[in-house]
Amino acid sequence: MQRRLATIRGDVPPKRHNARTIAALTGNPGCTRRAVLDGAGVDKPALAERIGFPARFGQSRFAISRGNAFEAQVKADGGAELLRLVAQRLGVPVPATASWTDLGVGADDTAARQRRSAEVLLAAPGAGDAALFDHPMLGLDVAGQRVHLEPDLVAARLAGRFHVVEIKSFPVIDGQADPSKVTAAAIQSAVYVLALRDLLAAHGHDPELVSHDVVLVCPRDFANQPVASLVDVRRQLLALRRQLDRMAGLDALLATVPDDFTADPDADPATLAAALSGVEARYAPECLAACELAYFCRQEARGRTAALGRAVRESLGGVADVDDALALAAGDRDPTPEQAEAAALLRTAGRLRAEALGVAP
Ligand code: SF4
């Protein structure tokens, strides 16, 4: 299998995953195209660019520097304020003292840093003494490759349990944060929870010592005053585990992919686009925020009802094309037995629209 994956990516080294790309794997778990490209470690942003559909997401430079400043503020004084916030949110007494270990300093190479993180985190993992660990180096297996994760987060050990602490710069206004940002933070935190649990389990400790409640620290209202919230990531952990298992069983998916499928960066754009079209995809509008190939897949899915979103796809099961949907709504075409329910829905919608606009149905 590794040979085939290397051929798919044109024998260039695989692109490494990070927490963001692992989190994004759960965005469209039913998409074979994505699973194969991610499993092969294809550089999807470069591929999208080469075929003329560059990805358009990422943070602005202003947002990145604002985020860095907020993070530095929250972590100041050896994490004293952070410790108070986290303990209060968890409902445990604020410890008089806690150790602060920055695992991001001291060693240059990844393996040495990972070893040091493991040693420090595994020293009495269930101990009652409070400790904060900044920049721990963690790892996860993705499609047979070991992926190193270098989070900016803090792992807090309080009352004998670890909690992942994520510091984000999006604001909580009147107790509410942007739900899409909270969801993205939750799935990314779930990646770290999983990696920490794997680390504990691999060394014979109880993985449940890592809590599924992560602490999200954000600025409150329009000030820079930090506020902590608890986010339960059990659902995200399940989705992540399912997708990682699916990618571990990539052989079965590869069997459905044409033998000559290639994402070789040296191939010409038309060949790459044709090769991509030969692998099943499941475009949905959510792809725009989660997958670098979204603009290519959206163009390809134009005219298909599925491209209008999951709700439309579910309501119009059996009606795959927008033209068919319009013909059924206008009564210009007889539905097949499987389309009868969707056709009735479409005719009602067509009639209501005509009434509202005062035009002939
Ligand atoms: S953008 Fe395309 S490849 Fe990516 S998840 Fe969506 S359908 Fe799959």
Side-chain angles (χ1 to χ4, degrees):
M1 183 179 82
Q2 290 304 329
R3 183 66 244 137
R4 173 118 198 254
L5 295 178
T7 307
I8 287 176
R9 62 175 185 268
D11 279 320
V12 294
K15 186 153 162 69
R16 288 264 169 222
H17 281 283
N18 54 39
R20 190 188 66 73
T21 61
I22 296 175
L25 295 177
T26 59
N28 192 347
C31 178
T32 301
R33 183 180 295 169
R34 178 186 187 136
V36 169
L37 292 171
D38 282 335
V42 168
D43 184 343
K44 285 195 299 176
L47 176 62
E49 185 113 30
R50 185 135 175 80
I51 57 176
F53 291 91
R56 295 179 218 159
F57 49 71
Q59 275 189 312
S60 71
R61 214 177 295 165
F62 170 69
I64 292 172
S65 41
R66 195 186 47 196
N68 289 344
F70 180 65
E71 187 181 325
Q73 175 200 332
V74 172
K75 288 181 177 175
D77 299 328
E81 170 69 356
L82 184 62
L83 180 70
R84 185 190 65 75
L85 276 172
V86 173
Q88 284 180 346
R89 180 48 67 205
L90 293 174
V92 300
V94 180
T97 56
S99 62
W100 172 272
T101 313
D102 188 349
L103 293 161
V105 294
D108 285 339
D109 77 287
T110 307
R113 279 195 53 202
Q114 201 154 10
R115 267 198 310 279
R116 176 153 184 264
S117 288
E119 274 165 27
V120 174
L121 288 163
L122 293 168
D129 48 330
L132 297 167
F133 306 94
D134 199 9
H135 303 114
M137 176 72 100
L138 303 169
L140 263 186
D141 287 331
V142 180
Q145 286 177 42
R146 190 70 182 160
V147 174
H148 301 292
L149 304 170
E150 195 179 358
D152 277 337
L153 64 84
V154 177
R157 190 180 64 207
L158 278 172
R161 291 198 89 189
F162 283 108
H163 289 267
V164 162
V165 181
E166 272 272 32
I167 301 168
K168 293 287 183 194
S169 59
F170 58 82
V172 174
I173 299 167
D174 288 338
Q176 296 286 322
D178 180 339
S180 65
K181 292 191 170 149
V182 175
T183 305
I187 184 78
Q188 204 161 317
S189 303
V191 175
Y192 299 133
V193 170
L194 205 58
L196 258 176
R197 284 185 172 179
D198 277 8
L199 176 70
L200 260 59
H203 290 81
H205 297 289
D206 180 3
E208 294 301 317
L209 285 175
V210 184
S211 173
H212 56 252
D213 283 328
V214 305
V215 184
L216 193 58
V217 179
C218 300
R220 189 206 308 261
D221 299 327
F222 295 102
N224 254 2
Q225 193 60 35
V227 59
S229 329
L230 275 190
V231 182
D232 181 340
V233 297
R234 269 176 292 189
R235 200 168 48 78
Q236 288 81 359
L237 283 168
L238 277 177
L240 207 51
R241 189 44 94 197
R242 235 188 347 255
Q243 184 63 355
L244 290 177
D245 288 349
R246 185 166 185 259
M247 291 183 71
L250 211 52
D251 302 41
L253 282 182
L254 281 172
T256 67
V257 170
D259 288 343
D260 59 352
F261 174 60
T262 183
D264 186 339
D266 287 335
D268 67 84
T271 305
L272 291 169
L276 283 174
S277 297
V279 179
E280 196 199 335
R282 293 188 71 185
Y283 176 78
E286 292 78 12
C287 292
L288 290 168
C291 180
E292 293 85 352
L293 286 175
Y295 290 96
F296 172 79
C297 297
R298 184 174 71 169
Q299 156 99 356
E300 183 189 56
R302 187 156 287 166
R304 312 277 296 167
T305 52
L308 301 174
R310 231 157 252 159
V312 176
R313 181 164 58 196
E314 276 156 26
S315 304
L316 298 184
V319 185
D321 294 319
V322 173
D323 282 349
D324 281 346
L326 292 174
L328 289 169
D332 292 343
R333 199 167 78 52
D334 290 332
T336 62
E338 309 82 66
Q339 293 173 337
E341 201 178 314
L345 198 69
L346 284 163
R347 274 197 301 273
T348 308
R351 188 173 40 76
L352 291 173
R353 179 177 179 278
E355 278 171 20
L357 295 177
V359 294

